[in-house]
Amino acid sequence: MQELYRKLVDKNVIIFTTDKNYLPFAKIFVNSVLKNTNNIEILGRFVNCTEEDLIDFKDIHIINDQKKLSTVRNLKTREGKTAVDKEDFTLINKTNVKPLRFFYSELIAYSSNIKFDTIFNLLKNGVKNVIYLDVDSIIRKDLNNLFKNLNDYDFCFYKDEPYKDRLKNHDFLYHGGLIGVNNNTNTLSILKNTINKITNEILDFDIDEKVIYNFINLSDKILEISKKYKDEDLSLDSFIWSGSGKTKFANDRYIIEGKKYEVR
């Protein structure tokens, strides 16, 4: 692992996490980064994938976790909420990927929330800046300016409308699907003090966005980025199209765009 970190010292790094089910989206994500953004390293954290699964990812850095995690989708959040608000995505799915159907599994929760451990370890080992993106993102334009802007801040997030049925005590949401972190003493301290809580609650589907709310009280240098970097409406001038929610399963424009990057 140390050899991996040495290769990334002083680099700008895009990271993503995925399990086996989301590998089709991971291929699209990686190929879209490689085609549209230069001079940035990519690190994928894969969970319970085989060596054969990883053949298509030879051009990026890889961490491959092997964990005993249940794949049974029978979990709710700590507040008793389902992972999907009221809509069964299996009924509208146009892909070969199995979507969430209200409940989630240990594997799904771990694969999402392990992003914080990934970010923290990269920062500890000298990476310059890290941007985590959900694996269902499609990168359409160069992201170097986003990394450049991050140099002057601790974090960057996209400020979104709150969920309808989850995390109700807030009037906005810093979306956990895009987390930018500049490597400095303050962000290292914040993440160090946060990582134990995340580890202890890693099977809570919403733990990522819960802890992000705490960052507001710990940093006055948060960059709220344009919707063009987390666009669920799929505008042609946006840098990143988000496959959030049902978009990746049912939106024809998103699916057609993704097909451009299925093969590099």
Side-chain angles (χ1 to χ4, degrees), residues 14-44:
I14 291 174
I15 69 169
F16 68 93
T17 62
T18 187
D19 62 11
K20 191 183 187 79
N21 183 46
Y22 270 41
L23 287 177
F25 293 130
K27 292 176 185 177
I28 292 169
F29 174 87
V30 168
N31 289 338
S32 69
V33 176
L34 291 173
K35 181 172 181 178
N36 295 315
T37 296
N38 298 315
N39 302 316
I40 291 175
E41 302 292 326
I42 308 171
L43 170 65

Side-chain angles (χ1 to χ4, degrees), residues 72-260:
V72 178
R73 300 185 179 193
N74 60 357
L75 298 180
K76 292 184 179 181
T77 69
R78 288 289 181 265
E79 291 70 37
K81 301 296 184 180
T82 55
V84 176
D85 293 337
K86 296 183 179 179
E87 186 170 5
D88 183 353
F89 295 161
T90 63
L91 301 178
I92 57 173
N93 187 20
K94 299 179 181 180
T95 75
N96 294 321
V97 177
K98 183 180 179 181
L100 282 175
R101 188 182 182 185
F102 303 120
F103 302 101
Y104 64 94
S105 67
E106 291 182 358
L107 175 62
I108 290 171
Y110 178 91
S111 298
S112 173
N113 291 327
I114 199 62
K115 59 193 168 210
F116 286 100
D117 176 83
T118 313
I119 293 169
F120 181 53
N121 281 300
L122 286 170
L123 297 181
K124 281 197 308 181
N125 285 278
V127 164
K128 184 179 181 182
N129 293 317
V130 178
I131 294 177
Y132 164 84
L133 293 169
D134 276 348
V135 72
D136 58 16
S137 304
I138 300 176
I139 285 59
R140 305 182 70 250
K141 295 183 181 181
D142 195 313
L143 300 183
N144 276 285
N145 278 340
L146 182 57
F147 276 100
K148 182 179 179 181
N149 292 337
L150 186 55
N151 288 329
D152 298 322
Y153 293 86
D154 288 340
F155 301 99
C156 73
F157 299 105
Y158 172 60
K159 191 174 184 179
D160 203 354
E161 296 294 322
Y163 295 123
K164 293 180 181 178
D165 295 322
R166 293 153 47 207
L167 304 177
K168 283 187 173 181
N169 295 327
H170 302 278
D171 57 4
F172 71 92
L173 174 75
Y174 275 158
H175 204 292
L178 191 157
I179 304 171
V181 189
N182 173 261
N183 194 350
N184 60 57
T185 55
N186 193 40
T187 56
L188 274 170
S189 175
I190 291 171
L191 285 168
K192 182 179 180 180
N193 293 328
T194 303
I195 205 73
N196 285 340
K197 179 175 178 60
I198 296 167
T199 300
N200 292 335
E201 300 288 337
I202 200 163
L203 299 185
D204 179 3
F205 194 72
D206 284 339
I207 190 61
D208 56 345
E209 283 153 355
K210 290 176 184 175
V211 299
I212 289 172
Y213 282 123
N214 295 333
F215 293 175
I216 302 168
N217 301 319
L218 300 171
S219 172
D220 60 359
K221 298 178 69 177
I222 295 178
L223 172 64
E224 295 180 355
I225 61 174
S226 163
K227 182 180 178 179
K228 291 182 179 182
Y229 289 102
K230 190 86 173 62
D231 186 7
E232 297 177 26
D233 294 329
L234 313 184
S235 299
L236 292 177
D237 62 342
S238 289
F239 287 76
I240 300 174
W241 279 7
S242 170
S244 182
K246 65 184 179 183
T247 301
K248 57 183 165 289
F249 300 114
N251 187 294
D252 289 334
R253 290 183 65 212
Y254 175 92
I255 293 170
I256 291 170
E257 182 74 9
K259 288 184 181 299
K260 298 178 183 178

